[in-house]
Amino acid sequence: MTFDILTLFPEAVESMLGISIIGRARKAGLLSVNCYQIRDYTEDKHRNVDDTPAGGGMGMVMAAQPIYDCYRNAVRNAPEGERRRVIYLSPRGRHLTHALAAELSTCDRLVLLCGHYEGVDQRVLDEMDAEEISVGDYVLTGGELPACILVDAVSRLLPGVLADPSCYEEESIASGLLEYPQYTKPAVWHDRAVPEVLLSGDHKKVDAWRLEQSLTLTEARRPDLYDAYMAAHPPKPPKKRRKKEGSGG
Ligand code: 9D3
């Protein structure tokens, strides 16, 4: 998977994606991140990338030309027929979810455009056939943090990036439930004991406790997830069932 990130702050994006699991995966060649400085593609003598909005109003709008030339350069040597999506990180986009991250993880290349100022000239979004993705309903100052979030969420789903693949099969959001509480040593800290069942060595009991904790937490905090989970995991029918005799009643 290759991520091409078009931004006015390539150093910020590069440093964020150079560390920890993603940094290691890049060094291992499991994915590539290429950051492009949009300002390098201006034809303006002052290297401006923005201009006043057509029709008037507040703020500035990023001009089409530098973004488009930057984009063309990024995909210049891309193989014909690769699975590619162009994404503009935008507060008016479709929300990023685990399901969308999983879908994006099947692509060969994701081109990510980070906006700044009040927005981007609509014509370049149309020309690149960009889809818009948001990371939630709050207002940020630019698309760089959202781009890093997207790269992080997608990359950890790529083969080999996580040490233990069961991490993403059993994990909370992917399973539809919030995660149960975790503990480590010591067994007592500040008068607070690790729940006894976790020290019992009885894996069946531990699993049952964790599921129950997940269900309780999810019901309290995320009734939306809880209802969806219950709809997808109906309680097991009773074992002994008599043969149906008509519709009953
Ligand atoms: C004047 C109206 N503003 C929209 C509420 C314009 C505007 C504000 C902030 C346009 C862009 C931005 C910067 N935000 C992003 O680039 C962004 C974002 C976000 O602010 N919230 C959630 N997801 C995203 S993805 C990109």
Side-chain angles (χ1 to χ4, degrees):
M1 163 83 76
T2 299
F3 297 93
D4 292 325
I5 305 179
L6 284 41
T7 169
L8 292 171
F9 302 96
E11 312 80 8
V13 173
E14 182 56 53
S15 75
M16 184 62 74
L17 299 177
I19 58 157
S20 188
I21 293 172
I22 307 304
R24 202 179 318 135
R26 289 174 66 188
K27 280 165 204 142
L30 298 169
L31 60 110
S32 301
V33 176
N34 310 312
C35 293
Y36 295 90
Q37 170 58 272
I38 296 168
R39 200 178 296 283
D40 288 346
Y41 298 85
T42 55
E43 286 172 349
D44 174 279
K45 66 172 172 179
H46 300 293
R47 302 186 82 215
N48 285 327
V49 292
D50 59 336
D51 213 328
T52 55
M58 289 199 320
M60 299 292 267
V61 175
M62 290 176 75
Q65 177 268 317
I67 292 172
Y68 190 67
D69 290 354
C70 184
Y71 163 72
R72 293 301 307 171
N73 180 66
V75 300
R76 168 185 58 164
N77 292 323
E80 196 82 14
E82 68 175 1
R83 284 167 298 183
R84 179 196 307 167
R85 285 165 79 163
V86 180
I87 294 163
Y88 169 45
L89 285 309
S90 157
R92 68 182 187 188
R94 155 187 193 201
H95 281 185
L96 182 62
T97 60
H98 179 77
L100 178 53
E103 188 187 310
L104 295 174
S105 73
T106 66
C107 288
D108 300 311
R109 179 184 308 272
L110 297 178
V111 182
L112 307 180
L113 171 61
C114 306
H116 251 269
Y117 314 110
E118 292 306 307
V120 167
D121 190 315
Q122 183 63 39
R123 294 170 295 181
V124 73
L125 301 177
D126 295 342
E127 189 73 21
M128 299 188 304
D129 199 19
E131 54 189 299
E132 300 188 27
I133 295 179
S134 161
V135 297
D137 288 338
Y138 40 84
V139 183
L140 301 169
T141 58
E144 282 75 18
L145 290 171
C148 292
I149 288 170
L150 189 150
V151 171
D152 194 276
V154 170
S155 295
R156 61 188 293 290
L157 301 177
L158 300 175
V161 171
L162 295 188
D164 179 3
S166 69
C167 284
Y168 47 75
E169 281 155 17
E170 287 168 26
E171 75 189 344
S172 55
I173 286 288
S175 79
L177 293 176
L178 302 183
E179 199 158 0
Y180 48 79
Q182 304 264 27
Y183 301 86
T184 184
K185 289 180 272 297
V188 180
W189 177 82
H190 282 212
D191 283 342
R192 300 169 187 272
V194 170
E196 222 171 85
V197 60
L198 300 181
L199 307 174
S200 70
D202 185 336
H203 294 297
K204 270 197 167 166
K205 270 193 185 168
V206 168
D207 287 349
W209 181 85
R210 286 177 168 168
L211 177 59
E212 198 236 274
Q213 291 285 315
S214 283
L215 288 165
T216 306
L217 267 177
T218 308
E219 186 177 26
R221 293 187 189 173
R222 293 292 304 274
D224 57 327
L225 292 182
Y226 184 79
D227 291 347
Y229 182 88
M230 284 312 189
H233 300 79
K236 280 182 190 154
K239 274 179 190 160
K240 281 186 193 168
R241 292 188 70 184
R242 274 189 281 145
K243 219 180 183 182
K244 267 190 196 162
E245 289 170 30
S247 57

